[in-house]
Amino acid sequence: AYRRMEFYEIKENKKQYLDLLLLADEQENMIDKYLERGSMFIIDKYDVKAVCIVTDEGCGIIEIKNIAVRPEYQRHGYGRAMINYIARRYSENYSIMQVGTGDSPLTVPFYIKCGFTESHRIKNFFRDNYDRPIIERGATLCDMVYFRKIIGWIYDKKIIPYEKLSKKEKRRLNNLKCNDWSGIDPVTCIADTERKDIRGNLNILIIIRIFLY
């Protein structure tokens, strides 16, 4: 059945959604590190289905720091809808959306289905930053796994939203991210590729400079 979803940005009293945020990040002091500097979005104001916090990481990268769906609404498309909404909202000004998660069967397949590919890992992140072991489906999380998705294409110093690219350009871009992010340098990576200009029919070298931390 069709479900109408309304998205709202929350600018004040973000802690009122702490119970929902804790579903995705179990330690409150870790949430406090990004809660105020990030932008918060919810689905449905009076019966909140999902919440998401997004931060600007610089160099055209936004990061989903927290995304959670209430248990009774999970597996109904709210998480994917939130990601699609964030991608559309930021695609005019950002080129890459990334998210960090544990190497868990609960989250990794979800992000892959949403079009993300693995870019890099931070070793022992959960062991070094959390007071107690984080366990999902009997497995203790250790490394932070980062996934990335291209939401905009850098062209002539402007960002073209991914949705406005041709099917051919999307295929080439998808191949680029799969091939070049698998062995990415955790400090700096320069990925060079060619994009064929639709109007001028010219081959233009596009240099995307990606800074990671």
Side-chain angles (χ1 to χ4, degrees):
Y2 172 76
R3 294 179 299 275
R4 181 178 178 181
M5 302 181 191
E6 295 183 349
F7 297 85
Y8 299 90
E9 182 174 3
I10 304 299
K11 296 183 178 181
E12 298 179 351
N13 193 20
K14 296 178 181 179
K15 273 289 184 78
Q16 65 180 305
Y17 301 103
L18 181 62
D19 63 326
L20 194 50
L21 295 170
L22 287 169
L23 294 176
D25 194 342
E26 298 180 13
Q27 195 161 299
E28 185 174 353
N29 68 340
M30 293 296 287
I31 294 174
D32 289 338
K33 292 181 179 181
Y34 54 77
L35 183 62
E36 292 306 321
R37 74 180 181 93
S39 298
M40 174 182 280
F41 302 92
I42 62 172
I43 296 178
D44 296 343
K45 183 182 296 185
Y46 300 106
D47 181 19
V48 179
K49 311 292 194 308
V51 66
C52 182
I53 297 179
V54 182
T55 59
D56 182 342
E57 298 302 310
C59 299
I61 300 173
I62 58 167
E63 181 171 337
I64 295 176
K65 288 290 190 180
N66 192 309
I67 181 169
V69 178
R70 291 199 183 279
E72 60 268 33
Y73 296 113
Q74 291 176 6
R75 300 187 180 277
H76 287 82
Y78 290 102
R80 183 189 291 265
M82 178 66 83
I83 287 177
N84 290 339
Y85 170 78
I86 297 299
R88 290 193 303 270
R89 184 182 178 99
Y90 286 91
S91 63
E92 295 284 352
N93 299 299
Y94 295 84
S95 57
I96 294 171
M97 177 165 58
Q98 72 178 18
V99 60
T101 183
D103 194 357
S104 165
L106 294 176
T107 55
V108 170
F110 169 72
Y111 289 118
I112 292 175
K113 288 180 180 178
C114 289
F116 289 83
T117 55
E118 184 176 337
S119 64
H120 62 288
R121 297 186 177 218
I122 298 179
K123 294 291 186 182
N124 300 316
F125 178 88
F126 290 96
R127 292 179 179 176
D128 294 342
N129 292 279
Y130 285 80
D131 297 337
R132 62 182 185 278
I134 305 298
I135 301 173
E136 290 187 2
R137 288 194 175 178
T140 302
L141 302 185
C142 181
D143 300 342
M144 173 76 85
V145 186
Y146 271 91
F147 290 85
R148 287 187 161 188
K149 178 177 182 176
I150 295 175
I151 59 173
W153 181 245
I154 300 175
Y155 172 60
D156 194 23
K157 297 182 181 180
K158 297 180 181 179
I159 297 178
I160 303 174
Y162 182 83
E163 292 181 347
K164 294 183 180 180
L165 298 177
S166 68
K167 291 182 179 180
K168 182 177 180 180
E169 288 177 313
K170 287 180 180 178
R171 285 196 298 268
R172 294 178 65 186
L173 206 52
N174 290 337
N175 290 335
L176 169 68
K177 70 180 181 182
C178 291
N179 293 336
D180 287 13
W181 288 357
S182 59
I184 200 165
D185 182 340
V187 180
T188 302
C189 173
I190 300 178
D192 297 342
T193 188
E194 289 184 354
R195 176 180 182 271
K196 197 171 186 179
D197 186 5
I198 300 173
R199 300 183 183 85
N201 207 26
L202 301 172
N203 288 327
I204 299 174
L205 181 64
I206 305 299
I207 300 178
I208 304 176
R209 189 171 183 87
I210 304 169
F211 291 90
L212 306 177
Y213 58 86

